[in-house]
Amino acid sequence: MSDAIKHECGIAMIRLRKPLQYYIDKYGTASYAANRLYVLMQKQINRGQDGAGVANIKIDTKPGTRYISRYRSVESSAANDIFDKINKKYRKAKKLGGSDALYDAEWLKENIAFSGEVWLGHLRYGTHGENSIETCHPFLKQNNWRSRNLVMAGNFNMTNNEELFSKLVQLGQHPKEKTDTVTVMEKVGHFLDEENQRLFDKYKHHYTNEQITHLIEDELDVARILRRSCRDFDGGYAMAGMIGNGSAFVVRDPSGIRPAFYYADDEVVVIASEKPAIKSAFNIDFKAIKEIKPGHAIVINKDGSYSEDEILPAREKKSCSFERIYFSRGTDPNIYQERKNLGKALIPQILKAIDFDLKNTVFSYIPNTAETAFLGMIEGLDEYLVSKRKEVLLDGKPHVGDLDELLSFRPRVEKLVSKDVKLRTFITNDEDRDTMVASVYDTTYEVIRPGVDTLVVIDDSIVRGTTLEKSILTTLDKLNPKRIVIVSSAPQIRFPDCYGIDMSKMKEFIAFRAAIALIKERKMENVLDAVYEQCVAQPNSMENFVKGVYSNFTDEEISDKVADIVTTPEIRAEVKVIFQTVENLHKCIPNHLGDWYFTGDYPTTGGMRVVNRAFVNYMEGKTVRAY
């Protein structure tokens, strides 16, 4: 993606279902879980590079023994930094207890941190706010009773954080922050405390307090805790938690907005945000990896048994389509094919934009994540050419040019754009900065016939259009093509996201800027006033009034205006911009229909409130987030 945006975080959980000694004896190492958690996190590093965290819980330790360990880091290679520290613990074990200590599970659990059976890792992409150790997951809520300790990490954003905060205050709490991470954890923690109290009251007249502690740890109803905790949540989430007794869970929102997958056998239960990470860490078949159902949680009990429990009634599934277009790793076979299909689906629009002149057109892509869509686009061109050959050879239709040329013709494919270096531009003035930004991408010279060839270049999506305007078009125009066609494998991004992606302000979207420009050109400012009045008058409406900004224009009109905006006076070539259609998006990605940033059809009530508030902020000149 040429317009870099921050997005969903990554989670990774491993629960060993057998005693630690089993893994030492079978695999020859006490680091079996740590090593695989490291792979899970490295294979999801695309999901978060602002920070990382790892927490570990030991089950059934003796009183006086530390049983919860946690490291967090905001170093440039945060995951590596954390696991280097964990490895130091094992080197320390060798010094303290000798070589044999590394193969003695009981000694390790009594003496060395990060030797427990339950592991939770998190990779952070900070969509807003500061980037510090304190903002890194996992978060920890401590208590002297083991079953009241809670460790949580997640991939989520809540749209109703103010409401959640107020409910905590009504419960008598005094939260230290208003962030959704804190409010969510305190909510779960509150009902964890109540569950402990319920079980205590059940047994208090029959057993000693010490006996009751063990009964609570064995009987803790985690699904009940989650049902009571999540009923007020509005947002997209995949939240992972560990309880001090060794229970664990990952719960997914009812619309399935945020991704979560799991695998289980008699040795482990493993959960992650992406399937390829699980496959790489455990070398298993993709078919063995299952998706957590929307509104459900994988609950792992203290004894290692697990179940998938309904927490909230599932709604229509609206999994984030951006996961498939860009965020998730393309090594997932389904995602790989979907991205190819997105490229292929653009062929009719591309052919129209180049006047069907394939002979004088060169095809390329913006590196690196658009490469798969590019392969699909080329496949689509090949299929088009095959169909044309059949028309001539089988149907006898007339054609222009030599038959041999028709049979041997192949689309002209070149790698025209390469990402060069990340340049430091903050030391220059504004005029110099534009020059520096234009140098971020480099191009291949002397493969384009000046004034003759058309360039078709595909990108994953066009969000802000800044890089396109300041760098890519300037770079491509140096080749002196007749025409430049920029193709987006995603539809026009028209509305903010409020479930995890860093796309929260209306004015940042090139499609919105295009709609505003058309409104002003056509003297239709009354449209903006009308939408603003609706948003202000009905702030809690379940209708997305901002759709009215776009309703007066066709998709093509907005695309053409986007092309006008990104074409600076210095650009000599004709510029066209093509976006994927929403209809084709749904055909290519039929099982992941979360498209609110394209269509404005939000899957939760909070989403509707956010989009209307975002427009009010725009009209009032406020640059704050709308949630």
Side-chain angles (χ1 to χ4, degrees):
M1 183 185 294
S2 56
D3 287 325
I5 60 173
K6 295 183 177 182
H7 51 91
E8 299 92 352
C9 302
I11 56 174
M13 176 181 283
I14 295 176
R15 170 60 152 91
L16 300 180
R17 302 186 70 191
K18 296 182 181 295
L20 180 61
Q21 193 64 50
Y22 170 89
Y23 304 90
I24 294 174
D25 295 340
K26 180 173 181 178
Y27 297 103
T29 176
S31 302
Y32 172 81
N35 292 341
R36 277 148 186 80
L37 187 73
Y38 175 73
V39 175
L40 284 174
M41 293 178 70
Q42 285 295 342
K43 292 298 182 180
Q44 297 183 103
I45 204 72
N46 53 298
R47 305 190 68 84
Q49 296 166 27
D50 290 337
V54 170
N56 176 246
I57 289 181
K58 304 174 187 177
I59 300 175
D60 284 333
T61 56
K62 298 175 183 177
T65 302
R66 182 180 176 185
Y67 58 94
I68 299 179
S69 303
R70 177 182 62 162
Y71 278 143
R72 296 180 293 176
S73 175
V74 290
E75 297 296 320
S76 58
S77 298
N80 286 338
D81 180 49
I82 289 169
F83 282 94
D84 284 345
K85 292 177 180 176
I86 293 173
N87 287 334
K88 286 180 182 177
K89 296 291 184 182
Y90 284 89
R91 291 198 293 271
K92 179 182 177 182
K94 188 174 181 180
K95 289 182 180 179
L96 290 176
S99 298
D100 291 343
L102 292 174
Y103 303 96
D104 185 339
E106 186 176 350
W107 186 92
L108 285 169
K109 288 183 67 172
E110 287 184 8
N111 295 279
I112 300 298
F114 293 97
S115 57
E117 297 88 345
V118 197
W119 293 78
L120 176 59
H122 184 265
L123 294 151
R124 180 176 188 268
Y125 247 138
T127 56
H128 69 284
E130 64 176 333
N131 191 40
S132 65
I133 287 288
E134 287 72 25
T135 58
C136 282
H137 300 198
F139 277 45
L140 175 60
K141 188 176 189 291
Q142 293 181 292
N143 194 286
N144 215 31
W145 276 265
R146 194 158 54 185
S147 57
R148 290 176 183 252
N149 283 275
L150 178 64
V151 184
M152 284 192 69
N155 169 13
F156 64 90
N157 265 60
M158 297 298 169
T159 68
N160 63 333
N161 196 47
E162 289 289 340
E163 177 188 343
L164 295 175
F165 182 85
S166 296
K167 287 183 179 292
L168 291 176
V169 174
Q170 291 167 16
L171 290 169
Q173 292 192 20
H174 195 281
K176 62 182 180 180
E177 293 180 39
K178 281 192 174 183
T179 62
D180 53 6
T181 304
V182 171
T183 54
V184 164
M185 183 166 193
E186 292 299 336
K187 190 87 181 297
V188 176
H190 171 78
F191 288 109
L192 174 62
D193 287 342
E194 286 205 348
E195 176 68 8
N196 272 266
Q197 190 63 47
R198 181 182 71 85
L199 292 171
F200 179 83
D201 292 341
K202 176 181 176 181
Y203 292 118
K204 64 183 179 182
H205 298 302
H206 308 285
Y207 298 93
T208 67
N209 284 357
E210 188 174 354
Q211 290 173 322
I212 292 174
T213 292
H214 294 292
L215 288 169
I216 290 173
E217 290 190 3
D218 291 338
E219 296 184 21
L220 207 62
D221 190 340
V222 177
R224 184 174 187 269
I225 295 168
L226 294 175
R227 289 186 188 105
R228 302 182 74 199
S229 304
C230 296
R231 58 192 174 193
D232 298 321
F233 293 166
D234 187 299
Y237 54 86
M239 293 185 292
M242 304 187 297
I243 300 171
N245 70 324
S247 299
F249 63 86
V250 173
V251 59
R252 194 175 182 206
D253 67 83
S255 300
I257 296 170
R258 298 273 69 82
F261 302 90
Y262 75 98
Y263 164 77
D265 58 26
D266 60 346
E267 293 185 356
V268 296
V269 179
V270 55
I271 305 167
S273 297
E274 296 190 30
K275 291 169 67 176
I278 300 176
K279 176 173 175 56
S280 295
F282 292 88
N283 193 28
I284 55 174
D285 194 291
F286 267 107
K287 294 179 181 178
I289 304 169
K290 300 177 181 179
E291 184 177 4
I292 299 178
K293 298 172 187 173
H296 286 62
I298 296 296
V299 174
I300 309 168
N301 301 309
K302 180 185 176 183
D303 63 4
S305 61
Y306 76 96
S307 58
E308 185 174 11
D309 299 313
E310 182 182 274
I311 304 304
L312 295 169
R315 305 189 190 111
E316 181 183 1
K317 189 180 178 188
K318 290 289 185 179
S319 305
C320 174
S321 59
F322 246 125
E323 284 280 357
R324 321 297 287 187
I325 297 167
Y326 170 67
F327 296 143
S328 293
R329 277 180 174 259
T331 49
D332 181 307
N334 292 327
I335 292 176
Y336 180 78
Q337 189 57 53
E338 287 165 1
R339 290 179 182 174
K340 288 183 72 175
N341 290 343
L342 286 170
K344 191 179 296 186
L346 287 157
I347 293 303
Q349 291 172 263
I350 292 171
L351 290 172
K352 182 179 178 182
I354 65 173
D355 301 322
F356 293 84
D357 184 9
L358 289 173
K359 184 177 180 180
N360 298 309
T361 301
V362 176
F363 297 88
S364 193
Y365 62 93
I366 305 296
N368 290 313
T369 52
E371 185 174 3
T372 307
F374 170 74
L375 294 175
M377 180 177 71
I378 298 306
E379 278 190 15
L381 287 172
D382 286 338
E383 291 175 5
Y384 167 77
L385 289 169
V386 168
S387 69
K388 288 300 172 186
R389 291 172 186 135
K390 286 181 178 179
E391 288 179 359
V392 172
L393 297 176
L394 299 181
D395 300 336
K397 288 191 176 182
H399 70 283
V400 179
D402 184 68
L403 182 60
D404 288 339
E405 183 182 7
L406 175 67
L407 295 175
S408 62
F409 181 80
R410 294 289 182 273
R412 295 170 60 194
V413 174
E414 303 287 352
K415 185 173 182 180
L416 292 177
V417 182
S418 58
K419 205 162 188 178
D420 199 1
V421 292
K422 290 185 177 180
L423 299 170
R424 291 178 173 265
T425 60
F426 58 86
I427 59 173
T428 65
N429 58 38
D430 290 343
E431 191 172 319
D432 289 340
R433 185 178 292 114
D434 287 348
T435 301
M436 296 286 279
V437 169
S439 301
V440 170
Y441 287 93
D442 203 353
T443 189
T444 305
Y445 291 94
E446 298 188 11
V447 295
I448 301 301
R449 294 173 296 176
V452 176
D453 287 335
T454 292
L455 307 186
V456 174
V457 182
I458 191 169
D459 197 357
D460 298 292
S461 63
I462 302 170
V463 186
R464 303 179 184 95
T466 307
T467 307
L468 184 60
E469 177 183 357
K470 301 292 185 183
S471 181
I472 294 171
L473 283 174
T474 302
T475 300
L476 292 174
D477 194 59
K478 293 176 182 177
L479 300 175
N480 297 318
K482 179 181 72 172
R483 180 186 302 155
I484 302 172
V485 181
I486 300 295
V487 183
S488 169
S489 68
Q492 297 167 2
I493 297 171
R494 298 182 169 193
F495 304 94
D497 183 70
C498 52
Y499 304 124
I501 306 173
D502 183 22
M503 302 191 305
S504 58
K505 299 167 186 170
M506 297 292 302
K507 70 174 186 178
E508 294 183 347
F509 306 136
I510 188 69
F512 181 76
R513 289 164 54 201
I516 295 297
L518 288 170
I519 284 173
K520 291 181 178 179
E521 284 178 7
R522 301 180 188 184
K523 310 296 183 184
M524 298 168 58
E525 285 85 350
N526 61 301
V527 170
L528 300 179
D529 294 335
V531 172
Y532 175 72
E533 289 172 6
Q534 288 176 306
C535 292
V536 171
Q538 304 177 61
N540 296 316
S541 174
M542 299 310 301
E543 182 179 351
N544 179 352
F545 298 121
V546 186
K547 288 184 178 182
V549 174
Y550 299 96
S551 61
N552 297 284
F553 314 111
T554 65
D555 291 354
E556 290 75 17
E557 286 177 310
I558 291 177
S559 295
D560 290 343
K561 181 51 64 176
V562 168
D564 289 344
I565 292 173
V566 299
T567 305
T568 61
E570 294 78 20
I571 301 295
R572 293 165 295 179
E574 176 192 357
V575 176
K576 287 182 176 290
V577 177
I578 294 173
F579 288 90
Q580 187 73 262
T581 66
V582 173
E583 181 183 8
N584 280 340
L585 175 76
H586 291 168
K587 288 179 181 178
C588 296
I589 311 178
N591 299 318
H592 300 267
L593 301 176
D595 61 4
W596 50 92
Y597 18 69
F598 308 128
T599 64
D601 297 330
Y602 290 83
T604 74
T605 58
M608 292 297 186
R609 288 196 298 267
V610 166
V611 65
N612 291 329
R613 192 179 305 137
F615 184 76
V616 170
N617 288 344
Y618 165 77
M619 292 293 286
E620 295 178 353
K622 298 177 181 177
T623 58
V624 297
R625 294 193 323 150
Y627 61 96

